[in-house]
Amino acid sequence: MKDSRMRTRLRFGVVLVWGFSLTFCVQGQITKLPHADTTSGNYFGTAVALDGKRAIVGASGEKSCGDGGGAAYVFELTDSTGYWEKTARLLPKDCEAGLTFGRKVAINGRVALVAASQEYFATERSNAVYVYEENDAGEWNQTARLTGEGSRGVVGAAVAIHNNRALLTTAGDPTPGSQKDGAAYIYEKENDRWRLEHQLIGSGNIRRGVFGGNAALHDNILAVASSAYFSRRAGSVYIFELDQNGSWSESARLEEIEDFYISLDLYGNELLVGQARAGSRESGQATLFTRDSTGTWLKTATLEPPTPYRKGAFGTEVALYKDRALVVGYDEQLRLNFNVDRVVYIYARQDGQWSYQGIIDIGEAAFGNSIDLYENTALVGAAGSSGAGRAYVIRIP
């Protein structure tokens, strides 16, 4: 049964979340982002990204220019009351049915990335990552279509943007017997044009993970997951750094990452990696790696659920911002072969020590399929095939 100390209350359209242990209590407020499309399977919330008072949400199943054409929405925090207003609906110039536009999103300042990418294991098609930029009139316009020239695998497995530098990855092919790595592509904006500057691949054997899954970018550091997918072997995470000569080089390979599909987030010199198959009875955990003064990446913390449920999927998604971290997992075990009711666990660091603060729980199985974190604000998607998707902004302590 669900832990009776963890409760969620919905009243007057506001969700108040309490999560407390023997010694402390946390409280937060959840705001549901407005979205007029209530069509089942629109997958609104399948991907989310947050940057200050601006958010972007993907809706890859929306019937925009045909079934499954997809869309993405930009929201802005307009006043001190916590109201988020929809300010733009993004569509690609070549929008068509089945494009699944909005599967991955990223935003930084006045630049947004939106990926149109089929399922990674499906037949490859002409996928792409679209760049949108806001002009002085507040209008968002498509300014580029990135395809990873000479791409290895399906484009748009992950996207990231930071300071006019864009990162996209290709997923590679994890199918046994025909495995091949993907790649990471770095674009820089020069003279109002986005140019492909670098193509990166990992140094390791593909049997230890297929390079090109999830990815993160912050300043002059980027991380790319190398998931083992179907095999029971552990995967890896590659870290690349930009040197003074403008070249990217592999600086570390973090091994023995236990997950089918590795989640990760990067902030400064710290990397949080989800390992949903790690821990006691594969309950899951999230591992923090920190770059020291010599450039070495060290394991500095391990976040675990307060109650480790068997195959609890803790670490399915992670988010990191300074001294706060979010980790998605399940908070119940029904003595069956599957779990229900996904939640977001909150962690905070004080005096160098990380501690569990509570959970965000709205009672939905799809909740937490995508997350992002900025200061004390979280953005959480809840996109599933059984109903209309949703996205929530959560203020946490």
Side-chain angles (χ1 to χ4, degrees):
M1 294 179 63
K2 188 182 295 292
D3 188 334
S4 61
R5 297 175 299 172
M6 307 298 181
R7 299 187 184 278
T8 302
R9 180 178 299 171
L10 290 86
R11 183 175 294 177
F12 306 115
V14 175
V15 183
L16 298 179
V17 182
W18 285 269
F20 53 91
S21 69
L22 295 176
T23 58
F24 62 92
C25 174
V26 300
Q27 179 174 312
Q29 180 174 315
I30 300 180
T31 301
K32 181 180 177 182
L33 292 180
H35 189 229
D37 183 2
T38 58
T39 306
S40 179
N42 63 10
Y43 285 97
F44 178 78
T46 193
V48 299
L50 184 64
D51 184 39
K53 296 181 179 180
R54 184 167 285 165
I56 185 170
V57 179
S60 60
E62 190 166 303
K63 296 180 181 180
S64 53
C65 46
D67 290 347
Y73 295 85
V74 178
F75 297 88
E76 292 192 32
L77 181 62
T78 58
D79 55 40
S80 60
T81 65
Y83 178 72
W84 287 75
E85 179 184 3
K86 183 184 73 176
T87 56
R89 181 180 188 239
L90 308 181
L91 294 175
K93 295 178 181 178
D94 58 347
C95 191
E96 62 178 359
L99 192 64
T100 64
F101 178 82
R103 182 174 290 279
K104 296 292 181 179
V105 297
I107 192 166
N108 182 233
R110 304 179 76 177
V111 182
L113 303 182
V114 184
S117 177
Q118 282 193 325
E119 292 285 352
Y120 303 151
F121 311 140
T123 302
E124 186 173 345
R125 59 167 292 164
S126 181
N127 300 319
V129 173
Y130 298 81
V131 182
Y132 293 83
E133 298 181 61
E134 184 189 31
N135 60 26
D136 291 338
E139 301 167 332
W140 289 84
N141 298 304
Q142 180 184 322
T143 58
R145 183 179 184 272
L146 313 179
T147 58
E149 299 169 15
S151 62
R152 301 156 57 102
V154 179
V155 174
V159 296
I161 178 78
H162 195 252
N163 293 340
N164 283 332
R165 176 177 293 141
L167 168 67
L168 67 91
T169 67
T170 55
D173 184 359
T175 306
S178 61
Q179 287 181 318
K180 65 177 181 180
D181 272 328
Y185 300 86
I186 301 171
Y187 288 80
E188 303 274 357
K189 187 179 180 182
E190 297 179 1
N191 300 322
D192 293 328
R193 296 190 62 184
W194 291 86
R195 299 180 182 276
L196 177 61
E197 298 292 340
H198 304 276
Q199 176 181 328
L200 306 176
I201 57 175
S203 62
N205 189 303
I206 196 169
R207 291 174 61 84
R208 302 297 292 176
V210 180
F211 181 89
N214 210 341
L217 170 68
H218 193 265
D219 289 333
N220 296 330
I221 301 174
L222 65 88
V224 182
S226 184
S227 297
Y229 291 106
F230 300 116
S231 73
R232 293 300 300 176
R233 301 183 184 91
S236 309
V237 173
Y238 291 87
I239 299 176
F240 298 84
E241 299 184 44
L242 182 66
D243 62 27
Q244 295 180 347
N245 298 321
S247 297
W248 290 85
S249 59
E250 182 182 319
S251 61
R253 183 186 180 204
L254 310 177
E255 301 188 75
E256 300 302 319
I257 306 299
E258 295 286 352
D259 208 341
F260 174 86
Y261 179 76
I262 299 168
S263 59
L264 51 85
D265 199 12
L266 179 67
Y267 186 86
N269 291 325
E270 294 189 303
L271 175 70
L272 184 63
V273 180
Q275 300 190 69
R277 294 198 313 208
S280 174
R281 300 185 300 170
E282 296 186 356
S283 58
Q285 64 186 30
T287 306
L288 186 73
F289 297 89
T290 304
R291 184 183 187 274
D292 68 11
S293 59
T294 68
T296 302
W297 287 84
L298 304 173
K299 184 186 297 185
T300 54
T302 299
L303 307 183
E304 297 179 328
T307 302
Y309 295 105
R310 178 179 178 271
K311 296 186 182 298
F314 181 88
T316 303
E317 296 288 340
V318 298
L320 174 69
Y321 193 93
K322 294 183 180 178
D323 293 325
R324 288 187 175 89
L326 303 178
V327 184
V328 175
Y330 296 101
D331 79 325
E332 60 184 334
Q333 186 80 54
L334 300 183
R335 299 181 181 178
L336 302 172
N337 293 325
F338 59 88
N339 304 86
V340 296
D341 194 11
R342 193 157 47 184
V343 302
V344 178
Y345 292 84
I346 306 170
Y347 293 82
R349 177 170 51 193
Q350 187 173 12
D351 298 328
Q353 298 296 317
W354 287 90
S355 61
Y356 166 70
Q357 302 293 296
I359 61 170
I360 306 167
D361 180 10
I362 65 172
E364 295 182 7
F367 185 70
N369 68 270
S370 59
I371 59 173
D372 202 5
L373 178 65
Y374 185 91
E375 294 182 347
N376 65 335
T377 301
L379 179 59
V380 183
S385 59
S386 60
R390 291 161 298 279
Y392 302 90
V393 178
I394 302 105
R395 300 285 292 179
I396 58 178

